[in-house]
Amino acid sequence: GVYTCAKCGHELFSSRAKYEHSSPWPAFTETIHQDSVAKREERPGALKVVSCGKCGNGLGHEFLNDRPKRGQSRF
């Protein structure tokens, strides 16, 4: 399946990129399209704020180098 923005319906993540994580929210390794999300650095080298690439609706964070494989980010 495809996860979309609750506000505008823009495609964000594929269920193929979803994986189990200890947080209560779904975790993804990548976006479905290059322009699916917009990112703004919050903490250099560790954390980015993520919003919908179309309408700007807040989606949470991208945790840099945080699993499931070394060097991979978690959304």
Side-chain angles (χ1 to χ4, degrees):
V2 175
Y3 290 78
T4 60
C5 176
K7 188 174 180 180
C8 74
H10 189 59
E11 293 183 336
L12 303 171
F13 305 101
S14 167
S15 59
R16 286 179 265 133
K18 185 178 177 184
Y19 70 98
E20 290 297 319
H21 190 267
S22 60
S23 75
W25 297 279
F28 302 92
T29 55
E30 62 189 8
T31 60
I32 200 165
H33 303 291
Q34 189 173 10
D35 67 347
S36 290
V37 301
K39 303 175 190 179
R40 178 178 47 84
E41 192 168 76
E42 183 172 84
R43 193 177 330 149
L47 191 67
K48 291 186 179 182
V49 175
V50 178
S51 58
C52 174
K54 184 175 181 182
C55 73
N57 187 37
L59 301 173
H61 292 88
E62 175 186 15
F63 299 86
L64 307 176
N65 302 311
D66 186 65
R67 304 190 198 184
K69 296 178 184 173
R70 184 171 169 79
Q72 210 169 31
S73 293
R74 171 175 58 95
F75 291 90

